[in-house]
Amino acid sequence: MSKTLFVPGHTACAGCGQSMGARLVIDAAGPNTIVVNNTGCLEVFSTKYPESAWQVPWIHSLFENAAAVASGVESALKFLGTKDSTNVIVQAGDGGTADIGLQAISGMLERNHDILFVCYDNEAYMNTGIQRSGLTPFDTNTTTSPIGAQSTGNVRPKKPMPEIAAAHGVPYVATASVGFTQDVQRKVKKALSIKGAKYLQIHVPCPLGWRHESSMTIQVAKAAVEAGLYPLVEYEYGKLTAVRQIQPKPVEEYLKLQGRFKHLMKSPEEIKKVQAIADSNIEKYGLKTQA
Amino acid sequence: MKEFLEGSRAIAEIVKRCRPGVISAYPITPQTHIVEDLAQFVADGALKCEFVNVESEHSAASVVLGGVAAGVRSYTATSSQGLFYMMEVLFNIAGMRLPLVLTCANRAISAPINIWNDQQDSISLRDSGWVQMYAEDIQEASDFHMLAYKLTEDASIMLPVMVCMDGFILTHGIETVDMPRQEEVDKFLPPYRPLYKLDTADPVSMGILADPDYYMETRFAIQETMKKVLEKIPVLTQDFSKAFGRAYNGLVEGYRIDDAEKVIVALGSVCGTIKEVVDELRSKGKKVGLLKITTFRPFPAQKVQEALKDIPKVAVLDRALSLGSYAPVAAEVKAAFFGKKKGPKVISSFIAGLGGRDITKDSIREVFSLLTAKEVSCEFIDLKPELLKEKYE
Ligand SMILES: Cc1ncc(C[n+]2csc(CCOP(=O)(O)OP(=O)(O)O)c2C)c(N)n1
Ligand SMILES: [Mg+2]
């Protein structure tokens, strides 16, 4: 028996945050788990025939339908009477979740299937070459929101996917970050202890797409949380129940680590706008540690 | 037991007897009655099954994909736009070699939006890797579902099966149907024993990435299996006739073609109308007949050749188009004779009944009368010239 259910030898890039996240999730979930994966980097780098990194039953169908495939798997397990002893986990990228997969995930949440949906949020369509998604942050330089004479990058802030999930009134919704590994695993375990539909969105830096050193993944992830740009929150039945508090640092501390925000360093005006997003998060979720 | 049933009801009754554990569907006319009846069976406790009400056909197809991947017999039904919305999932199901049965209540495709019958929906999915069977009447439609499960779950096949039945004509028509008893169905169709499934005791990865070193062989394998389907169906129909007393060829069926000079080739419910016209014309001494194609995918080319090789004039009646080219069924029939020494002198192609326009006995008589020594291609029957007058320069 290997120590992990997501074994090495796959073809992820060095420093891939998503591969770290996937390993944390499946090892917290344990062997009695069936994984349903959307199309995306994770599927591609972990299951190139004739190899597979997965030591649990794993299925991939299409880009946008994993929540529905998982609904079918869960229904079949219910029919067989084995659901209570088996976890069903969906894994998808931010694009497969918040954009093209949104309809299927909304259906899954509304029907309250006993499934944990995990979104690995690397903030763009990485598998197809760093195009923007609905979870790409404001002012990010991507291949389809490039900077130029008329552009400072992605024009809109991140779609509030955790709130959208929570609005379905499901028992558990949370955000996490690979910068805080124990917190990821705690949330996975907590989610799996609850019956019904759960949504967990994990911030996973992508060295290639974000253009940072591959050794910096954890540091970059931590910096996003510490700047107030990636609030770590928990909702139960649609109500905010917990937040990870921070001593907010200026957003530049986070932005300057990454090539995708390099253009902002010359533009205090734009940095102010990003700071305003962080400030609004800090205010909205009460992120600031009380002295 | 013989019962007087609406077509949709008959399908729901037979699907219930096939005991799927997961059903998922999304409403679209004319498929709705089938899934409404099934929902009622589940609500009444008459069918033990997880009935998953999804938000789209894309998800309905995905749910049954997941259901059968987890080892449980599953079922869905749709029509027209719904079938198209499922399209990428349907290719995926076939590629993953997952055994499923889908009822397609055939309906025209938008635009213009039209809820009535033709076969453009399923015909457009002919390259998907699904076996396609077309029913002439409600009895066939019902029986084909048992055959379909038996075929799809056969370890040597493992390809999904689409049972196509003409919307409204068969789904909403009422006929006397011989409904088998549950014990009889259980005997013919034992519980599903998956070759592979998602099982924590024996983990497998399904639906993985195949690069250029591996992809092509998976497609070749399906193409080869399609040949096996052509051998398997006649075997299954024999078992079926032993079990239920109804005999089907399952691939093609000739009706009064032995000495025929003119034969119409067709799919689905229109075959009933053609048979009536054949009988009428035969009573007047005209040597005419019908070749019904039951299985369109895989295409039983050899059976078609055997049946038509001595027929001088053949008309192929399509209820769908491949816009800008030959009609879909006509192209197949012609291809079946390409390079063959023996075969019809004329294979003419006719289009009728699009978007629910009735194909009457007169329409069929017209096809026979237009079937002359002069071969025609995509000749539309029952067009209204007064609607074609407007010109835009
Ligand atoms: C219907 C469909 N549209 C587009 C694609 C192409 N595609 C495959 S993966 C992908 C990007 C995935 O992005 P995301 O979900 O964020 O996952 P990541 O690769 O970033 O982990 C796209 C656009 C597809 N496979 N299917
Ligand atoms: Mg992504």
Side-chain angles (χ1 to χ4, degrees):
Chain A
M1 273 292 274
S2 74
K3 277 191 252 111
T4 173
L5 296 166
F6 181 66
V7 298
H10 56 71
T11 59
C13 308
C16 169
Q18 186 164 202
S19 72
M20 296 175 196
R23 182 166 162 173
L24 289 169
V25 168
I26 195 58
D27 285 342
N32 289 325
T33 304
I34 294 175
V35 173
V36 181
N37 218 128
N38 271 44
T39 310
C41 281
L42 176 57
E43 163 259 330
V44 168
F45 73 63
S46 68
T47 67
K48 187 171 159 310
Y49 187 82
E51 290 168 341
S52 171
W54 299 97
Q55 304 299 300
V56 292
W58 179 97
I59 184 171
H60 157 255
S61 168
L62 296 164
F63 186 20
E64 67 279 48
N65 70 346
V69 172
S71 301
V73 170
E74 183 250 24
S75 300
L77 298 181
K78 266 202 207 144
F79 177 78
L80 295 170
T82 54
K83 178 63 201 79
D84 287 345
S85 56
T86 317
N87 306 310
V88 178
I89 292 183
V90 179
Q91 311 191 119
D94 46 292
T97 301
D99 293 342
I100 199 167
L102 186 60
Q103 173 176 304
I105 184 179
S106 175
M108 179 206 112
L109 296 173
E110 176 255 323
R111 295 187 299 271
N112 201 30
H113 288 279
D114 188 19
I115 295 171
L116 168 60
F117 189 109
V118 180
C119 168
Y120 296 107
D121 183 9
N122 56 20
E123 303 192 320
Y125 296 111
M126 295 313 182
N127 189 49
T128 39
I130 322 165
Q131 296 85 14
R132 72 158 303 279
S133 82
L135 293 191
T136 299
F138 176 69
D139 265 359
T140 307
N141 186 5
T142 75
T143 55
T144 53
S145 60
I147 54 167
Q150 308 280 321
S151 166
T152 52
N154 192 45
V155 292
R156 295 282 301 153
K158 288 170 79 75
K159 191 188 282 196
M161 192 56 215
E163 274 90 345
I164 292 169
H168 289 74
V170 292
Y172 187 66
V173 170
T175 54
S177 161
V178 286
F180 300 88
T181 54
Q182 285 169 335
D183 184 59
V184 171
Q185 293 203 313
R186 178 184 69 80
K187 284 170 176 164
V188 170
K189 287 189 176 139
K190 180 168 175 183
L192 292 174
S193 74
I194 303 167
K195 230 179 142 105
K198 287 85 59 175
Y199 177 80
L200 176 61
Q201 182 174 306
I202 308 177
H203 202 215
V204 290
C206 167
L208 197 75
W210 296 10
R211 285 185 275 137
H212 60 74
E213 288 299 321
S214 54
S215 58
M216 293 278 286
T217 303
I218 298 291
Q219 196 178 330
V220 169
K222 280 195 166 139
V225 173
E226 283 161 359
L229 286 170
Y230 216 90
L232 301 189
V233 299
E234 292 177 88
Y235 295 86
E236 287 173 49
Y237 297 98
K239 293 216 167 57
L240 188 68
T241 52
V243 300
R244 181 185 189 95
Q245 295 199 310
I246 52 170
Q247 276 300 342
K249 296 188 177 151
V251 293
E252 285 108 307
E253 301 293 308
Y254 170 62
L255 302 176
K256 72 179 187 200
L257 302 173
Q258 305 162 65
R260 63 175 176 160
F261 297 122
K262 191 169 167 219
H263 59 292
L264 301 182
M265 295 305 124
K266 290 168 273 173
S267 173
E269 275 311 297
E270 292 305 314
I271 290 187
K272 253 193 219 156
K273 291 182 198 164
V274 178
Q275 187 61 57
I277 292 171
D279 291 346
S280 139
N281 285 338
I282 292 162
E283 160 89 32
K284 180 175 171 191
Y285 300 105
L287 296 180
K288 197 168 174 185
T289 319
Q290 301 304 317
Chain B
M1 199 178 82
K2 293 225 159 103
E3 290 177 63
F4 202 49
L5 292 178
E6 191 204 40
S8 300
R9 178 70 184 209
I11 301 312
E13 290 281 354
I14 202 68
V15 167
K16 174 174 132 221
R17 286 163 174 77
C18 291
R19 301 185 189 271
V22 175
I23 295 177
S24 185
Y26 188 82
I28 182 166
T29 304
Q31 153 264 32
T32 40
H33 289 186
I34 300 171
V35 290
E36 287 166 5
D37 285 351
L38 284 166
Q40 190 66 54
F41 294 154
V42 176
D44 292 342
L47 171 61
K48 188 186 168 289
C49 173
E50 295 296 320
F51 190 100
V52 189
N53 275 308
V54 280
E55 77 301 329
S56 74
E57 286 88 355
H58 199 283
S59 285
S62 302
V63 165
V64 294
L65 184 162
V68 72
V72 172
R73 185 176 289 155
S74 302
Y75 172 78
T76 187
T78 189
S79 295
S80 182
Q81 310 306 130
L83 191 76
F84 278 22
Y85 202 25
M86 285 183 178
M87 174 164 154
E88 63 160 353
V89 190
L90 298 183
F91 273 70
N92 203 248
I93 287 166
M96 291 175 81
R97 307 302 294 259
L98 292 172
L100 275 167
V101 173
L102 175 152
T103 312
C104 176
N106 286 109
R107 160 180 156 179
I109 292 294
S110 201
I113 190 165
N114 172 300
I115 61 167
W116 293 273
N117 169 242
D118 66 35
Q119 294 168 342
Q120 189 68 57
D121 49 3
S122 55
I123 290 285
S124 301
L125 286 189
R126 64 197 167 182
D127 301 336
S128 61
W130 283 63
V131 174
Q132 289 193 347
M133 300 183 79
Y134 288 78
E136 176 184 341
D137 55 24
I138 297 172
Q139 184 72 60
E140 278 195 0
S142 162
D143 290 345
F144 286 177
H145 283 79
M146 288 187 276
L147 281 168
Y149 274 113
K150 190 95 175 165
L151 179 69
T152 189
E153 292 172 4
D154 189 296
S156 70
I157 305 298
M158 301 298 279
L159 284 176
V161 182
M162 190 181 297
V163 179
C164 305
M165 61 191 295
D166 286 317
F168 290 112
I169 301 169
L170 297 184
T171 55
H172 291 53
I174 299 179
E175 277 176 23
T176 308
V177 190
D178 197 346
M179 266 295 143
R181 281 178 293 124
Q182 183 66 59
E183 310 82 75
E184 295 174 304
V185 179
D186 288 344
K187 220 173 136 201
F188 181 73
L189 185 69
Y192 171 48
R193 271 190 220 352
L195 276 179
Y196 32 76
K197 65 170 181 173
L198 299 167
D199 181 359
T200 51
D202 182 18
V204 290
S205 295
M206 298 171 74
I208 73 182
L209 174 77
D211 72 7
D213 284 336
Y214 297 102
Y215 180 86
M216 224 163 118
E217 284 70 19
T218 71
R219 309 307 285 175
F220 175 79
I222 295 179
Q223 184 76 350
E224 287 297 297
T225 303
M226 282 289 186
K227 292 182 198 160
K228 278 197 210 140
V229 171
L230 290 174
E231 291 160 21
K232 197 83 200 175
I233 287 177
V235 176
L236 291 181
T237 49
Q238 277 197 357
D239 295 349
F240 184 89
S241 107
K242 274 186 217 131
F244 300 102
R246 282 183 295 283
Y248 298 110
N249 175 289
L251 298 175
V252 300
E253 266 178 47
Y255 183 76
R256 305 187 81 166
I257 58 170
D258 284 348
D259 61 341
E261 284 160 7
K262 290 182 176 185
V263 166
I264 297 182
V265 179
L267 271 56
S269 65
V270 72
C271 291
T273 314
I274 299 173
K275 282 177 184 170
E276 281 190 40
V277 175
V278 164
D279 288 346
E280 276 176 27
L281 294 176
R282 282 268 176 186
S283 70
K284 291 180 194 152
K286 300 249 165 54
K287 291 188 173 172
V288 295
L290 159 75
L291 185 72
K292 172 169 90 178
I293 294 178
T294 299
T295 299
F296 181 62
R297 277 294 177 275
F299 188 72
Q302 202 191 326
K303 297 282 172 212
V304 170
Q305 282 161 24
E306 284 163 19
L308 299 177
K309 66 181 184 324
D310 299 317
I311 312 293
K313 297 192 185 86
V314 168
V316 185
L317 188 62
D318 270 275
R319 291 189 101 155
L321 290 163
S322 173
L323 291 165
S325 188
Y326 304 107
V329 185
E332 305 275 348
V333 173
K334 284 193 161 222
F337 285 101
F338 184 78
K340 295 277 177 300
K341 284 207 185 70
K342 266 186 117 181
K345 297 222 162 39
V346 171
I347 300 177
S348 278
S349 145
F350 298 89
I351 310 297
L354 301 188
R357 185 155 303 174
D358 280 339
I359 304 183
T360 63
K361 289 206 265 181
D362 276 341
S363 322
I364 302 302
R365 285 186 202 108
E366 193 182 351
V367 170
F368 275 124
S369 73
L370 290 172
L371 180 55
T372 63
K374 187 174 168 275
E375 191 166 290
V376 295
S377 182
C378 285
E379 184 78 14
F380 279 65
I381 301 296
D382 298 325
L383 275 185
K384 296 182 180 170
E386 67 274 22
L387 295 183
L388 296 168
K389 272 183 196 148
E390 270 179 89
K391 283 215 165 53
Y392 298 91
E393 302 294 332

